[in-house]
Amino acid sequence: MFSGRVAVVTGSAQGLGKVFSGVLLERGSKVCISDVNQSELEKTYKEFKSKYAENVISQQCDVTDSEQLKEVFRKTKDTYGQLDLVVNNAGIVNEKNWQQCIDVNLNGTIRGTMLGMEYMRKDKGGKGGLILNMSSLAGIFPVNYTPAYAASKHGVIGYTRSWSMHPDVVNNGVRLVCLCPAFVDTDMIKMDDDSKFVGTDLAQQVIEKFGIMSTDHIIPVFVNAIEDEENNGSVISITLKGANKIPLPMP
Ligand SMILES: NC(=O)C1=CN([C@@H]2O[C@H](COP(=O)(O)OP(=O)(O)OC[C@H]3O[C@@H](n4cnc5c(N)ncnc54)[C@H](O)[C@@H]3O)[C@@H](O)[C@H]2O)C=CC1
Ligand SMILES: CC/C=C\CC(=O)/C=C/C=C\C=C\C=C\[C@@H](O)[C@@H](O)C/C=C\CCC(=O)O
């Protein structure tokens, strides 16, 4: 399932993207890691390269820049000859610069999804594959201290579900899944920057309510989404209590 498969993971210099890339590499996949943060990307690349040799390549990329993202896909295909998995993981929380928040989280995911379909659809020369989009519990619930972030993550769910129901996509072997974790122990939830939240105190109360998961908590759900080839269109919440498929809301 993993051995010999080829993946692109955005925002993979640190946090969940780095963990996901490590999981794929450990299981024998080939991975193009990419991130806007060049210095952190270089460090992660060196770490992975020493363990996984030619199975890892890296390409600096800001997901808000279509040309840079196209280069990630081009380089991956040129190097490994195929593409099987795209993890649209790059994300930020920034309510002051809400435009950037939408551009990275939602538009970046749209760009990565369109490229993923272009490279993996059977009618376009691909072999089919999986597009795994990172949403959040903030894509399911309203979040009063991060309205723009919540909007971006609601958008990711709507976008992913919509393509997963398109016959041209389904019939050409591409499936799409959304992961929606609650708080995970990464830099994203650090209270280190007052542009992140509109009300750090509100954020702290909700974090206390949900608790903080280790990145290890997300790994089995990530692995299962890849292994379960029947899984298309799922939106999966992940909390300390476990993982659940969120049913489609009916009007
Ligand atoms: N940590 C958490 O509590 C949760 C995180 N998520 C989502 O998981 C994903 C990963 O987040 P974390 O690992 O927690 O955060 P993180 O802050 O540790 O890592 C995010 C990575 O994305 C990169 N990045 C930011 N802007 C970028 C851009 N324009 N282009 C390319 N890369 C960019 C950063 O440089 C960083 O390496 C995000 O989409 C986030 O919204 C979802 C639910 C909970
Ligand atoms: C939010 C930005 C910060 C970090 C990244 C991230 O995506 C984390 C999200 C984690 C959880 C967010 C949940 C928010 C929920 C609340 O705003 C409430 O409205 C939840 C209300 C009811 C929950 C029902 C229940 O208690 O089970």
Side-chain angles (χ1 to χ4, degrees):
M1 178 54 65
F2 288 91
S3 184
R5 299 281 173 99
V6 178
V8 158
V9 186
T10 66
S12 39
Q14 64 173 57
L16 282 166
K18 180 178 176 185
V19 170
F20 293 152
S21 301
V23 165
L24 294 169
L25 288 161
E26 203 177 83
R27 286 165 166 73
S29 297
K30 298 168 184 179
V31 181
C32 179
I33 59 168
S34 68
D35 205 286
V36 69
N37 184 336
Q38 175 77 65
S39 58
E40 209 55 38
L41 183 66
E42 189 59 29
K43 273 196 240 164
T44 299
Y45 176 64
K46 279 193 185 137
E47 186 184 322
F48 284 156
K49 185 85 186 156
S50 68
K51 277 191 188 165
Y52 305 111
E54 71 281 353
N55 278 0
V56 62
I57 55 172
S58 106
Q59 177 67 33
Q60 198 266 341
C61 166
D62 180 340
V63 297
T64 68
D65 184 321
S66 299
E67 288 310 313
Q68 289 185 17
L69 195 52
K70 279 182 191 161
E71 186 50 34
V72 169
F73 282 75
R74 253 196 305 267
K75 182 170 174 175
T76 306
K77 179 84 191 280
D78 285 355
T79 309
Y80 297 126
Q82 66 188 67
L83 182 65
D84 308 286
L85 170 66
V86 176
V87 186
N88 288 305
N89 167 81
I92 59 167
V93 189
N94 193 324
E95 293 299 317
K96 269 206 183 119
N97 193 348
W98 55 266
Q99 295 93 334
Q100 178 73 0
C101 186
I102 301 289
D103 204 12
V104 176
N105 299 358
L106 179 55
N107 299 346
T109 297
I110 291 176
R111 291 181 191 102
T113 299
M114 293 185 83
L115 283 163
M117 292 191 295
E118 187 68 29
Y119 276 77
M120 296 193 297
R121 276 173 62 143
K122 288 179 182 166
D123 62 344
K124 299 197 186 252
K127 299 192 302 176
L130 170 65
I131 299 175
L132 195 52
N133 288 338
M134 284 309 287
S135 180
S136 159
L137 223 55
I140 300 166
F141 291 123
V143 186
N144 57 6
Y145 53 88
T146 53
Y149 179 81
S152 72
K153 294 299 185 178
H154 276 68
V156 168
I157 291 178
Y159 185 78
T160 308
R161 270 186 169 144
S162 299
W163 272 125
S164 76
M165 293 173 178
H166 198 297
D168 289 352
V169 174
V170 176
N171 296 335
N172 283 296
V174 176
R175 56 192 184 91
L176 298 99
V177 170
C178 253
L179 298 189
C180 305
F183 300 99
V184 185
D185 189 12
T186 69
D187 281 2
M188 180 170 271
I189 63 164
K190 283 188 185 156
M191 304 289 165
D192 54 354
D193 179 350
D194 67 5
S195 56
K196 280 186 174 176
F197 306 113
V198 277
T200 305
D201 48 335
L202 293 170
Q204 259 154 354
Q205 283 165 26
V206 181
I207 291 176
E208 266 165 43
K209 176 182 157 130
F210 281 91
I212 298 177
M213 297 179 284
S214 76
T215 53
D216 283 354
H217 202 87
I218 314 303
I219 294 173
V221 189
F222 173 76
V223 168
N224 184 261
I226 296 168
E227 285 179 335
D228 179 3
E229 291 187 312
E230 298 307 305
N231 183 350
N232 178 39
S234 288
V235 172
I236 305 165
S237 71
I238 312 165
T239 68
L240 281 166
K241 292 180 188 161
N244 282 299
K245 283 189 185 168
I246 304 295
L248 262 185
M250 284 302 162

